[in-house]
């Protein structure tokens, strides 16, 4: 992941709030575990650590301590999740423990100003899956070119 971010000359300049609309990190688990404990553990331990790999600034070196420092610096910039931006849910079978959580986090940094990090995890779902999606902003020039081409090829308005 770090090589993809920092050594890739194509992606590195695009990895910021000017080009990224949002980042979604999702964890699905088939197994019904211990409800709230699973969600708290998965969210705090795994998904936030994964988020730091996507959001941290370039470490001073490839040394493990330099990477740890960069991740900690990133975590210190995360705004606390607000209750309005957090959803807890349970299965339809009426269980009392939450089995799904989604929250939106913001990072107070120049690189990520205004970019929502959507963190989701749930258990007892249809599959085991870990997914990270970067939603990129469309370049205005590219959008104008696509619109001209789509009208030339008579693409329906709803697709544009």
């Amino acid at each position: 992941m770090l090589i993809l971010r920092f050594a890739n000359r194509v992606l590195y300049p695009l990895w910021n709030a000017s080009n990224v609309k949002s980042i979604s990190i999702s964890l699905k688990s088939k197994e019904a575990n211990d409800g709230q404990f699973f969600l708290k553990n998965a969210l705090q331990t795994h998904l936030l650590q994964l988020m730091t790999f996507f959001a941290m600034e370039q470490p001073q070196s490839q040394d493990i301590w330099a990477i740890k420092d960069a991740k900690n610096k990133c975590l210190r910039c995360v705004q606390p999740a607000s209750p309005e931006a957090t959803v807890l849910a349970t299965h339809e079978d009426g269980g009392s423990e939450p089995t799904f959580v989604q929250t939106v986090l913001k990072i107070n940094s120049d690189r990520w100003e205004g970019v929502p990090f959507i963190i989701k995890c749930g258990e007892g779902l249809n599959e085991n899956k870990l997914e990270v999606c970067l939603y990129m902003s469309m370049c205005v020039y590219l959008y104008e070119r696509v619109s001209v081409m789509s009208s030339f090829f008579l693409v329906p308005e709803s697709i544009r």
Side-chain angles (χ1 to χ4, degrees):
M1 179 63 225
L2 295 179
I3 293 171
L4 174 69
R5 280 225 30 223
F6 300 118
N8 188 315
R9 291 183 183 190
V10 174
L11 290 180
Y12 184 73
L14 300 175
W15 212 273
N16 58 49
S18 299
N19 300 297
V20 177
K21 263 198 284 193
S22 66
I23 296 178
S24 174
I25 303 172
S26 305
L27 174 66
K28 290 180 168 183
S29 174
K30 276 186 178 182
E31 295 80 29
N33 296 304
D34 191 18
Q36 193 171 4
F37 174 77
F38 167 77
L39 295 177
K40 185 177 180 182
N41 185 41
L43 184 70
Q44 288 181 343
T45 306
H46 304 296
L47 298 180
L48 286 180
Q49 289 296 317
L50 189 56
M51 181 190 78
T52 61
F53 279 116
F54 281 86
M56 72 183 193
E57 294 299 324
Q58 187 166 1
Q60 297 295 321
S61 69
Q62 294 180 3
D63 177 65
I64 189 73
W65 296 108
I67 294 170
K68 180 183 172 187
D69 289 343
K71 288 169 58 178
N72 285 335
K73 189 174 181 181
C74 175
L75 286 171
R76 285 192 296 271
C77 293
V78 175
Q79 292 178 3
S82 69
E84 296 82 24
T86 303
V87 175
L88 290 171
T90 60
H91 284 295
E92 292 178 356
D93 64 6
S96 61
E97 292 293 322
T99 56
F100 175 85
V101 65
Q102 174 179 312
T103 190
V104 179
L105 299 175
K106 301 278 182 140
I107 298 176
N108 292 327
S109 72
D110 292 339
R111 179 181 298 276
W112 297 114
E113 189 65 39
V115 175
F117 285 76
I118 304 158
I119 312 292
K120 301 182 258 189
C121 67
E123 62 177 2
L125 300 173
N126 61 340
E127 62 185 337
N128 291 323
K129 186 176 189 178
L130 175 62
E131 181 176 65
V132 179
C133 296
L134 275 79
Y135 297 96
M136 305 299 285
S137 301
M138 183 177 268
C139 173
V140 175
Y141 174 75
L142 178 63
Y143 178 74
E144 290 171 355
R145 301 292 281 171
V146 169
S147 296
V148 169
M149 290 176 62
S150 63
S151 60
F152 177 74
F153 291 107
L154 300 176
V155 175
E157 187 68 37
S158 61
I159 298 175
R160 280 192 217 162

